[in-house]
Every structure is written in C-alpha cells, then in structure tokens.
DNA sequence: TTGATGCAAATGATATGATCTTTGAGTGGA
DNA sequence: TCCACTCAAAGATCATATCATTTGCATCAA
C-alpha cells in the first residue's frame, strides 16, 4: 500500500520525531525562536487545539515543556504569553537547534563560538592534569589522523576527526558541563561545514596546533596546552568572523 | 543574626511554587538528582498517579518536562526509565538547583566554578571592547563600593555587590550565553556565603583585583582585564578548593 | 531443535468533557 | 476618587475512555 519509505532519512540533527507532541513542540519552538511569535503576544489553549487539530492534553504538555525552557508563561485569565529572549534557556540543545535554524543563526553561531573560545583552552589546561595515559595516546593519534586527512584534502573525514578531537579534550577535562558543550561545538563545526566555510585544505597552522595541543596534554603541560588551544580558537574565531561579516550585511541587530 | 532587610528574603532559588505540577516535578527532580531513583530503574504512570495522588494529566506533564531535560525516557510497554546523568541537561537552572541541593553539591559547585574560571576572563576581555561609557563608570563605581563594604566588614552587602559586579561584566560581554551563566555564578556565590566560606574580611587582593578589572575594562584594555579576572578566578577557585576538600563528609545541611 | 510468525497483554499516547481555582476587569457604593 | 465586591474568562486539575505500539510468549513449520 504505502510507497516504500526509504529509511535513508536518517537526519542526525533533525530527529523529525513522529508523534503529535513532537510535531507541535517543534512548530511552536521554531515559531518562537524565529520571532514569528513575538515576545508579549498571547496565545490561548483552545486556539492552539484548533490550529494544530490535537487534543488539549497534547497542547498542555507542549506548553509545559516550553515553559520549562522559558519560552512562555501561562497566566490565568490571560492566556499563554511569549517571553522575551532574555528569559530563554539558551543552553538547551533544542533551543540551540531552533536558533541555528532561524534567522538568528549568525548570532547563535557567534555566541557559541565565543563560548568555545573561553572554555576550550581551560578544558585543555584541565585535561593535561586529568587525562589518562591511553586517552592521551589516542588524542595524539587523533591529531595525527587529522593531519593525514588534511593533507589528503578529505574534508568529510577531517570534520569528523575535528569534532572527535575537541570532544575528547572536553571529556578529558573531567568537567561534565564542558562535556555537554561538546554537542554545541559539533553543531558549530558541522554548520561551518554545511556553509562551506572550511578551507578545502585546512590551514597548515591549524593542523600543527591540534598536534601541539595533544602533545602538551600528553606531557601534562597544562599551560602549553592552554596556549595552543587559544591559538586554535583564535583562528577558528577569525574564520567565523568572516562568516558573519559576509552574511549579515543589513543586520545590526541585537535589540535588548 | 537576622539582617534588618526583610524584603531581601525573596528566595530566588526556592520558588516553592504552589500547584500540583510544581510539587510533583520538584519531588521527582530531586529524587533523580539525589540518586534515589537510580538510572535504569523504571517507573510507570499509574504508579505515580497513586503515589502522588494526582491525576494522569499532572503526571504526564511532569514527565514531559523531565524528558525534555534528559532525566527520563518513556517507552511503551516498558514504562518510564531513568536516564544516566550523562544525558542530563546540566545547564538547566532547575537541574543546577536540584544538584546543589543534593549529595552531589560539591561536584556541582566544582563544575560551575571551573566554568566560571574559563568564561569570566574572556567575558572581561570582550566587555572591554563592547561596554558603554556609562556602564563602565558604573562598574568602576561598583568596585569602589565593594572595597568600602569589604573594609567595613559588611558581608551581606559585599556578597550582593560581588554578584552584581560579575553580572555586569557578563552582561557587558554582549554574549547572551554568558549572561545566562550569571545566575549560576550567583548560586555559587550565595552558596559559598551560606556555607560560611567567605572570609569575613575579603582579601585585600580580591578587592584590588575587582578594581583592576573594572578599570581595565573602562580603559578598553581587554588583555589587562582578562589577566585581572584570571587572578580573581584563581583566588576564588582556591577558596572553593579548600571547600570541597574539607567537606568530604561533614556537611549535612539539607535544610530547606 | 530452531527459527519464523502471529496473537494479546501491557503501557504509553491521545482525546474528551467536566469541575475547580485564580485573577483581571467591571461595577457600585461610600 | 477610591475601595470592596462580583463575575466571568482562562488555565489547572481531574476522571475516563479509546487508540497505538511494543514486546513477551505461544504456536507452528522446517
């Protein structure tokens, strides 16, 4: 009966979860992030029930989730009010996804990149004193593989290795909050790739710096690891900067 | 030693919201954070309906929220499974609160302090190039007030000024994610105060460093601002370290 | 014996309608 | 003018019913 549905649709960052709840949540979340529902505007439950043709249960459960990430506030006799961006839980992975998919993409990218710039050097510093022998070896090996992939011009492979490298450094930092940032970093890196902002042949410098970071960590030289990571971040930041300078021509946004 | 400022008692971290939803959410969240509900264990909805004597709707809405912060996963035919800590949304303010109130308090404090150590210097650096003239003046004034409060030995006032100082630096950084970290910083600082880990007379050094940070930012010397903040963080980190080294066992102030 | 097949119970997902509670706004008297 | 009271709108909660999916297990064929 049904046309053979190809299960190829494995979207990594877009689960496209089935189910009414996920569908409505996705739609409302996107709308709020995208500014289609402006802060201060008011919804009401029955209206949503009609609009999405789902039951009150579904709508209420979605609203509870949205409330928990600071998107809305439900008040009796008034309705459901959209809250300003300053109230949002900007660290919620779901919010990150929505923002990266919205018009505020560049702002989101900038924020996360700055966060990386702040955190990763310290993570490298901590990793130097906390990493295990085997992990350290793996890290050095990973940097070597990155070098190989870079030389070979294998972008795809380089991207994956890059993400894995930074993930391992964050993991080795021994701080679970840093680890959690890894998924944000991954979003940024893949985003950068999608927008073709990776040099086809990664800079020689970057390759060397990854190797430096890995080696410094293995030698337990926290200061050197930190400095090397700082350089790496500076370069990544510069690449990003050219990105949002070229893309955000008319946009002098950031209305607080 | 009741301070004579009554309206300050607006407990920002203990909303104690009335309402069934909040009550059940609070209880389950605490239980999961505290390890009373171990990862892998399974609940089912009807059981919860009975245990809390609330309706299905309330339970389901709570479960949706818990699922959105990675605490649980609902699977048909199985029940509601508690997920491991690695899946938690450790940046969710609510999660932070729960963890700070649980046995994992020290680990949480350590994580956030490390995060501060990483972020605040960079925030100071960014603030130096982004802050407005008036904001900069205010910041310097704030540092001066801190000095006065420190000299006077007014702990309470010093704490509030300290929190405000760091908040303004994070705000001035122009990065909304940094701003969001402010509430975590506030938790840490007030927590430190509650546990009597503030020196009654703040170190002369710390006072000077706050002044240095403020001045460097005003003069738009990002590098100097960063270095000063690094020193501040190092000192704060040392104080914290003595904290979680001393409280291997004793602290049991689980009071509300 | 073993593996595929299919049924049915368990359990979450969704729907529906009713009742309770809070609260903004209108109303009227002092 | 201003305060207290009333009413109704809208969310909060409840109770119940039905739908949909997963999975254990029994059945049956090779």
């Amino acid at each position: 009966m049904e046309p053979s549905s190809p299960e190829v649709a494995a979207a990594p960052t877009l689960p496209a979860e089935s189910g009414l709840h996920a569908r409505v949540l996705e739609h409302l979340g996107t709308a709020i992030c995208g500014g289609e529902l402006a802060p201060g505007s008011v919804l009401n439950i029955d209206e949503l029930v009609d609009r999405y043709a789902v039951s009150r249960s579904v709508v209420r459960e979605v609203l509870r989730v949205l409330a928990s990430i600071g998107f809305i506030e439900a008040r009796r006799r008034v309705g459901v009010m959209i809250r300003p961006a300053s109230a949002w839980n900007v660290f919620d992975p779901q919010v990150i996804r929505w923002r990266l998919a919205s018009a505020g993409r560049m702002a989101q990218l900038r924020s996360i990149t700055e966060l990386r710039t702040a955190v990763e050097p310290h993570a490298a510093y901590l990793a130097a004193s906390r990493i295990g022998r085997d992990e350290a070896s793996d890290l050095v090996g990973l940097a070597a593989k990155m070098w190989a992939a870079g030389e070979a011009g294998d972008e795809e492979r380089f991207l994956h290795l890059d993400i894995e490298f930074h993930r391992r450094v964050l993991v080795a930092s021994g701080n679970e909050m840093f680890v959690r940032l890894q998924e944000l970093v991954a979003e940024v890196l893949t985003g950068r790739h999608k927008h073709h902002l990776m040099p086809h042949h990664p800079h020689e410098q970057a390759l060397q710096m990854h190797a430096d970071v890995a080696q410094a960590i293995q030698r337990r030289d926290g200061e050197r690891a930190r400095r090397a990571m700082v350089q790496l971040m500076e370069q990544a930041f510069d690449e990003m900067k050219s990105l949002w300078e070229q893309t955000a021509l008319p946009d002098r946004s950031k209305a607080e």
Side-chain angles (χ1 to χ4, degrees), chain A residues 9-114:
Chain A
T13 55
L14 292 172
E17 295 188 35
S18 55
L20 302 179
H21 177 86
R23 191 167 58 79
V24 176
L25 179 63
E26 188 71 19
H27 194 271
L28 275 176
T30 304
I32 294 174
C33 272
E36 299 156 47
L37 290 172
S41 54
V42 175
L43 307 172
N44 83 28
I45 292 185
D46 293 326
E47 174 191 326
L48 293 171
V49 167
D50 290 341
R51 186 189 312 174
Y52 292 107
V54 295
S55 72
R56 257 201 309 290
S57 314
V58 173
V59 170
R60 294 198 96 268
E61 285 163 26
V62 167
L63 292 183
R64 287 290 196 194
V65 172
L66 290 175
S68 91
I69 53 184
F71 275 22
I72 63 169
E73 189 183 356
R75 284 163 64 176
R76 293 179 165 172
R77 170 74 196 203
V78 175
V80 177
M81 202 164 36
I82 311 294
R83 300 183 68 188
S86 60
W88 300 353
N89 223 342
V90 283
F91 286 95
D92 189 309
Q94 206 158 32
V95 174
I96 308 257
R97 277 204 305 104
W98 287 331
R99 289 194 62 193
L100 283 175
S102 80
R105 181 189 301 121
M106 286 304 148
Q108 176 68 92
L109 232 40
R110 189 180 63 89
S111 295
I112 297 182
T113 302
E114 284 176 0

Side-chain angles (χ1 to χ4, degrees), chain A residues 202-215:
Chain A
H203 299 149
E204 181 72 28
Q205 290 179 326
L207 294 172
Q208 185 57 48
M209 285 182 225
H210 277 91
D212 286 349
V213 169
Q215 193 181 68

